[in-house]
Amino acid sequence: MSEVVDLTLTLREGMTTFPVYWHPLVEISQLGRLHYEKRETRKLVLGTHTGTHMDAPRHFIVGGKTIDELDPALFVGDCVLLNMTDFSPFTEVCKADMEQRLAGRTPQRLMLRFDWSDHINSTEYYTDHPFLSEECAQYLVEIGVKVLAMDTPMPDNPKNGRNSDNDSPNHYILLGKDVILVEYVTNLRALGDVESFELIVLPLKIHEGDGAPVRCLGRLG
């Protein structure tokens, strides 16, 4: 019998969100009450990039595809898992590193495990995470990766933010070629030492969505 591993952060008030005004804090308000309305309902306030989520090309690309336009066949299927836990904080993964780890494989779906989700409740989560070089991001495009998932907040050097001279180049490289990004993945240790698994990553189908929270699962066996 196959085992299903939950790789998703739980949505809750007070959870880590990117600390800028265009990423709202999570609010969960109970409206319906069992003792009064005889049923429970809640109002959710959250951003399209809250918690474990998917970036659609529209997140950075003018005229890019939105969440509701993406091919759902990409959301389920075989995924190569690379153990990158030997990379130190704020370390660049270069093209040669990626070529060595992939060893000739050209996966459509790729998951990078840094165990960086251990830092989720610290400022270091956003400032010190490992990242891809621009050449590495371009290499993933060239070998046909269509879904890139990781347990870090983003594939870019954390210094390459909105006010830098080189704003989020890997987002532009990857999303510009319709490579879907899945960020803030967690619990990758639970997949063990496997080199591949079945990825199931299902976003909320938001009209014209630049991104969406997801339920991300890994099936083993």
Side-chain angles (χ1 to χ4, degrees):
M1 182 178 293
S2 61
E3 176 188 1
V4 176
V5 179
D6 196 343
L7 308 175
T8 317
L9 291 169
T10 300
L11 296 175
R12 54 166 59 89
E13 289 191 340
M15 71 181 298
T16 297
T17 54
F18 199 74
V20 290
Y21 70 86
W22 61 87
H23 288 284
L25 298 176
V26 175
E27 299 177 28
I28 303 176
S29 306
Q30 185 170 347
L31 301 178
R33 298 153 295 182
L34 287 174
H35 67 276
Y36 193 80
E37 288 84 10
K38 308 301 182 185
R39 69 265 296 143
E40 283 198 4
T41 62
R42 282 164 174 76
K43 180 181 75 171
L44 305 180
V45 176
L46 66 162
T48 47
H49 301 267
T50 297
T52 309
H53 68 271
M54 179 180 291
D55 287 0
R58 182 67 62 85
H59 184 37
F60 273 80
I61 307 301
V62 175
K65 291 181 181 179
T66 56
I67 282 289
D68 52 319
E69 295 173 330
L70 298 177
D71 180 3
L74 295 173
F75 304 162
V76 180
D78 292 339
C79 179
V80 166
L81 174 64
L82 295 184
N83 188 328
M84 315 290 282
T85 55
D86 54 322
F87 281 81
S88 302
F90 197 67
T91 301
E92 180 180 83
V93 179
C94 70
K95 177 184 175 182
D97 295 322
M98 190 62 69
E99 286 180 314
Q100 181 182 38
R101 300 296 168 106
L102 284 173
R105 291 171 292 179
T106 56
Q108 188 174 50
R109 301 170 195 84
L110 177 63
M111 176 74 76
L112 304 181
R113 174 192 166 188
F114 297 94
D115 286 343
W116 196 252
S117 55
D118 292 352
H119 303 274
I120 187 67
N121 294 315
S122 68
T123 57
E124 290 76 21
Y125 182 72
Y126 292 110
T127 62
D128 293 357
H129 63 80
F131 56 92
L132 307 184
S133 70
E134 292 173 49
E135 187 182 26
C136 182
Q138 184 61 46
Y139 169 68
L140 294 179
V141 171
E142 291 170 358
I143 66 171
V145 171
K146 296 299 182 184
V147 178
L148 175 62
M150 65 211 85
D151 60 2
T152 61
M154 56 184 166
D156 279 293
N157 184 327
K159 291 186 176 180
N160 289 339
R162 178 170 173 261
N163 295 318
S164 73
D165 294 332
N166 189 21
D167 180 13
S168 308
N170 290 337
H171 273 84
Y172 283 102
I173 290 169
L174 295 162
L175 295 176
K177 295 299 184 180
D178 290 338
V179 178
I180 299 167
L181 300 179
V182 182
E183 301 166 330
Y184 292 63
V185 177
T186 191
N187 196 35
L188 289 177
R189 282 193 188 89
L191 294 175
D193 296 326
V194 300
E195 295 185 352
S196 64
F197 66 101
E198 183 182 14
L199 177 67
I200 303 166
V201 56
L202 302 179
L204 295 175
K205 191 176 181 180
I206 301 172
H207 177 59
E208 296 187 347
D210 51 86
V214 300
R215 190 65 179 265
C216 186
L217 306 172
R219 193 200 309 267
L220 302 171

